[in-house]
Amino acid sequence: MTTNTDSRGFRARARETLLAAVRGLVLALVILPVSVLCFALAAMSVALIPIGIGIVTTPWILGGIRDVADVRRRLAYEWCGVRIRSAYRTLPADANPWARTFGMLRDPQVGRDVLWLFVDMTAGFLTALLPAVLLFYPFEGFAVAAGLWRVVADGETYWYGFVPVDGQATALAAAALGAVVLVGAFRYTPALLTAHFRLTRAVLDPGKGELVERVRVLTETRKDAVDASAAELRRIERDLHDGAQARLVAMGMDLGTIEMLLDKDPERARQLLAQTRRASVEALGELRDLVRGIHPPVLAERGLGDAVRALALRLPVPTEVTVELPGRADAPVESAAYFAVSEVLTNAVKHSGADRIWVDLHHVPDGGGMLRISVTDHGRGGAVVGAGSGLAGVERRLGTFDGVLAVSSPAGGPTMVTMEIPCALS
């Protein structure tokens, strides 16, 4: 039983060693031409930016380099279990070539990609080739012992490693050296391939610097969230003071007047009672609107999809809502998404001149989950995310939850506003 177990373990180890060597050889054969080509194209494209050609070509080339780096990240995890993170900055979908080019050039992750190409074509090539060399080189020593040195040397000394082969005795010494190297390959070849991917991770992984940047962004979005909450509280206080509270005070005064007029002027008292009843209805309506502005009851009871449908029914423009949500997100995420959609729809109704609006809500489960919402209209276009615009407020609201906002709105339309919030559904 022990012998069978040892035999299976040996075969598994031999297979792992051979697989690591073959994978390393394939990587080495691919690395050199691909990395050199990508590096040369990137350098050439950046050099052509001053004359305008590079503005068009650079985003495509840097995007291709990102694809190559993503393939290496995937292979690192699938082959050796080495996780390599990425932290690419999101660019607006409608960014012009100039903004896209310089946005990508300012991205630290893109800079790491280009640096990785240089490392990959040098140290990366050697570390990928080493597992194959370590495994296959011993077989040359065995061939030397079998007489290869007589054919190749042609009367001169044949060197195998540090062993000068000029006779059968030294040929056997070369075979012994090959056996030692083979034992080392059997033991270390998989680790050498892992070392190659760890070198890749050392260059490509964002590391702590990106985490510091992430903390800075989260700090800013938290400040925005606190400011937004304070502004919302002031709005509620103002609406209560100027609306429902004033009506309730007036109703109290009217009721006092009615009490004095009941005996002296019943007709006038009845008129004041009717007026007070109308004021109470108006006050109740204002309170309902105020509560709906804080957190709509339909959102709490039936979820984001039905809340957006209810919102669409109140719009003066026909709005088609498509919902594909297999569950519910956390309440804060639903609330942020609802008010973001509400703001975007309000902007579309006020400024787009569209005669129809489409809203699509769905959840993408990949990568931990993403709530994706798009609002589209065929209006006049020209919407931008800028200081003082409603879309800027939406962007800050989503940023609190690590969400992003992308706007595509060319002059003449159509306008598509896409919002994404990372979340899982329950």
Side-chain angles (χ1 to χ4, degrees):
M1 185 67 178
T2 303
T3 303
N4 291 338
T5 302
D6 293 342
S7 177
R8 285 196 298 269
F10 177 82
R11 287 197 299 269
R13 182 66 180 183
R15 181 180 179 278
E16 182 183 4
T17 300
L18 179 61
L19 195 59
V22 172
R23 285 172 171 173
L25 181 60
V26 171
L27 272 179
L29 293 176
V30 172
I31 280 173
L32 205 55
V34 171
S35 295
V36 171
L37 177 63
C38 290
F39 189 82
L41 288 175
M44 185 182 305
S45 182
V46 171
L48 293 175
I49 287 178
I51 63 175
I53 298 176
I55 296 294
V56 178
T57 60
T58 298
W60 292 95
I61 293 173
L62 294 181
I65 293 174
R66 173 177 176 172
D67 292 338
V68 172
D70 285 340
V71 169
R72 191 66 58 86
R73 291 185 181 95
R74 179 171 55 82
L75 293 179
Y77 180 70
E78 292 178 356
W79 288 359
C80 296
V82 177
R83 290 185 178 274
I84 304 176
R85 300 171 299 172
S86 63
Y88 295 99
R89 293 178 178 176
T90 303
L91 295 175
D94 60 339
N96 58 54
W98 184 273
R100 185 172 294 277
T101 295
F102 286 96
M104 296 181 75
L105 289 176
R106 286 193 295 265
D107 189 344
Q109 185 63 62
V110 174
R112 283 188 287 269
D113 288 351
V114 176
L115 175 62
W116 165 72
L117 289 176
F118 179 77
V119 174
D120 202 43
M121 71 177 73
T122 53
F125 172 76
L126 294 177
T127 54
L129 187 61
L130 190 56
V133 171
L134 192 63
L135 180 63
F136 299 125
Y137 186 61
F139 294 97
E140 181 186 350
F142 302 150
V144 167
L148 177 66
W149 67 277
R150 301 177 188 275
V151 178
V152 178
D154 194 20
E156 298 180 359
T157 301
Y158 181 90
W159 286 88
Y160 176 75
F162 57 83
V163 177
V165 179
D166 53 9
Q168 190 59 40
T170 51
L172 292 175
L177 176 61
V180 172
V181 174
L182 184 61
V183 172
F186 188 78
R187 183 177 180 86
Y188 296 110
T189 293
L192 289 173
L193 185 63
T194 302
H196 166 80
F197 288 118
R198 286 178 177 170
L199 173 65
T200 303
R201 181 176 62 185
V203 182
L204 284 181
D205 195 272
K208 292 183 178 179
E210 191 67 28
L211 295 178
V212 172
E213 174 69 12
R214 185 78 191 109
V215 170
R216 184 190 66 80
V217 173
L218 289 176
T219 301
E220 291 182 356
T221 56
R222 183 185 63 182
K223 179 179 180 298
D224 290 338
V226 172
D227 293 343
S229 297
E232 185 72 6
L233 181 60
R234 289 193 297 270
R235 182 190 69 81
I236 294 170
E237 292 173 344
R238 183 176 63 251
D239 290 349
L240 282 173
H241 182 271
D242 297 342
Q245 180 179 339
R247 292 186 183 279
L248 291 174
V249 171
M251 287 170 56
M253 297 174 63
D254 289 342
L255 289 173
T257 303
I258 292 169
E259 187 177 3
M260 291 186 296
L261 293 174
L262 281 176
D263 295 330
K264 299 179 180 179
D265 192 349
E267 182 63 26
R268 176 60 179 162
R270 281 195 295 271
Q271 293 176 358
L272 285 177
L273 278 174
Q275 178 181 328
T276 303
R277 186 180 68 252
R278 290 194 297 271
S280 69
V281 172
E282 292 174 356
L284 182 60
E286 289 183 356
L287 286 173
R288 285 174 176 170
D289 291 340
L290 183 62
V291 171
R292 187 181 296 112
I294 299 172
H295 194 80
V298 67
L299 179 62
E301 295 170 4
R302 304 183 61 178
L304 180 61
D306 286 339
V308 172
R309 289 192 182 101
L311 181 64
L313 291 175
R314 298 197 298 269
L315 296 177
V317 177
T319 302
E320 180 179 332
V321 180
T322 302
V323 179
E324 295 180 7
L325 299 176
R328 295 192 60 175
D330 293 337
V333 173
E334 285 191 335
S335 179
Y338 174 83
F339 287 109
V341 173
S342 177
E343 180 69 28
V344 172
L345 289 174
T346 300
N347 285 349
V349 171
K350 286 183 177 180
H351 308 298
S352 71
D355 57 3
R356 194 166 189 83
I357 301 174
W358 293 265
V359 182
D360 177 77
L361 299 90
H362 64 277
H363 186 263
V364 181
D366 298 340
M370 182 77 70
L371 175 62
R372 185 170 295 159
I373 306 169
S374 64
V375 180
T376 308
D377 67 72
H378 287 172
R380 62 177 62 95
V384 294
V385 181
S389 73
L391 293 177
V394 172
E395 188 174 43
R396 289 193 300 270
R397 185 188 293 272
L398 298 179
T400 306
F401 298 89
D402 204 16
V404 295
L405 172 74
V407 179
S408 174
S409 184
T415 295
M416 173 179 284
V417 179
T418 303
M419 297 163 278
E420 294 184 346
I421 306 177
C423 69
L425 300 185
S426 60

